[in-house]
Amino acid sequence: MAASGASGSPSMPPDTATALSEGWEQRATPTIPVDLDPDPNVLEIELEARVAEVELVAGTTTPAYTYGGSVPGPLLKAKVGDRLIVHFKNSLPDSTSIHWHGLRVPNDMDGVPGFTQDPVEPGGEFVYDFVLNDAGTFWYHPHIQSAAQVGWGMYGPLVVEDPSDPDLGEEIVVVLSDVSLDDAGQFVPADVGGEFGDLFGREGNVLLVNGQVMPRLHVQAGKRQRWRVINAARSRYYTVMLPNHTLTRLGGDAGFAERSSEVDSVVLVPGERADISFLPSSEPGATDVMQWIATDRGLGSTFNRPNVDMFEVATLPHARVEPAVVPHQLREIAPIDTEGAPVFAFDLGMWTDEDGNAVMGINGIPFQDAAPIHATMGETQIWRVTNETDFAHPWHLHGYFFQVLDDARIPEWKDTVDIPVGGEVRMAVHFGDRPGMWMYHCHILDHAEAGMMGHLHVMEEGAAAEP
Ligand code: C2O
Ligand code: CU
């Protein structure tokens, strides 16, 4: 019979109580889906793609394309070896699909309409069902009209934990993205800027962190957090830094790298992830601001572009604690045996056709005219990707991790890597299992849609390549 005002601690109103715990403030906390399966080794969920009114900018609502009504979509969190079952329903007015970026899924679960499944039409359904083979930080997004649909809010985080990882503190998911909104908070047309938009790649004017503008993260001085950062933007490169702090990079796409490294900033190209151990070093009560810094990715990408504030890191007024030590050696990564492996060359290109239209492609061929390349299951190949265009391109391969062949880099498993202007990146990839048709493309989604994409047919041993 207590009056409502008498509940809780008299000296601490509920809001203060929330503000005194670590982690994201409420509005930036990822949505967690209901697990329909009581088995601890199965995550079974329902996920509906639908238009929803979301509050991206405080005080305005934006009709967005969403997974489950939120931007980003729900955080799918499981442990390595678990089975993920997603009952997917499309309530959008457009066809869509779900591609599981970076995951080694069976080919028919890869979510590429026209190659691995039919598009999920409006009103249609599809069940994604596969085992999570690898620990790491992943994400999901559509693979049809992807520049438009990702740009309208269709992306979500997927974290696969490895229970044998050292305890590096609370895990914080940081989904980076940007949206192009007009003054009324509505999305500008997906093809805004015409050909120039295609060439540069469309960067949104509003930077979002977990779907919010400038959210606040609470930390405790000395107490490490493990940040799983995802670049889900359709085109924007992120260099991120926090004044007065260094960051410890643990790895990225597929979990830990071989060694941890202390860095002043971290670069994430579109599609890429970073696994970071963050050590709050400011005084209790202080607030720092995480910043976006322009990355040099070609013409016009850095000139006159100021840093942009992304989120606040507020140090709680608690006493500093003794920081946990991050191991230097994190994992053993055996180099892929490339002895005798054939080398395949991929040259990224942008050119103008006879009618004056911008065209993009690989080895002079836009995707719509390209024939698939081939690999035989069990084969190892070396891919050499070159870029003579005026822009950098984030290279992404579906279905398999690769190792970048560069002694200056700390070994790690990757699925997305930058190919800088005038650059050449060589990578080793082993097609050990899961035959089928797999895509590779630039993850500036405007470029992929303009033709900078290819497909690879991984064939069963003994199968003959089609002409
Ligand atoms: Cu994020 Cu074809 O991929
Ligand atoms: Cu590109």
Side-chain angles (χ1 to χ4, degrees), residues 13 30 33 37 56 70 106 121 137 242 247 266 353 357 386 416-417 439 446 453 455 467:
D37 193 318
L56 302 175
S70 66
E121 303 293 350
T137 308
L242 186 66
L247 302 168
V266 172
D353 67 14
N357 300 314
T386 50
T416 308
V417 68
M439 318 306 286
D446 292 295
M453 177 151 75
H455 45 329

Side-chain angles (χ1 to χ4, degrees), residues 13 100 321:
W100 308 93
V321 300

Side-chain angles (χ1 to χ4, degrees), residues 144 195 283 387:
I144 179 168
E195 209 158 82
E283 288 309 310
N387 175 13

Side-chain angles (χ1 to χ4, degrees), residues 417-431:
V417 68
D418 190 37
I419 317 290
V421 176
E424 166 181 317
V425 175
R426 292 165 73 249
M427 57 199 87
V429 51
H430 178 67
F431 302 103

Side-chain angles (χ1 to χ4, degrees), residues 392-394 442 444 447 452:
H393 302 283
C442 175
I444 289 181
H447 291 178
M452 199 175 280

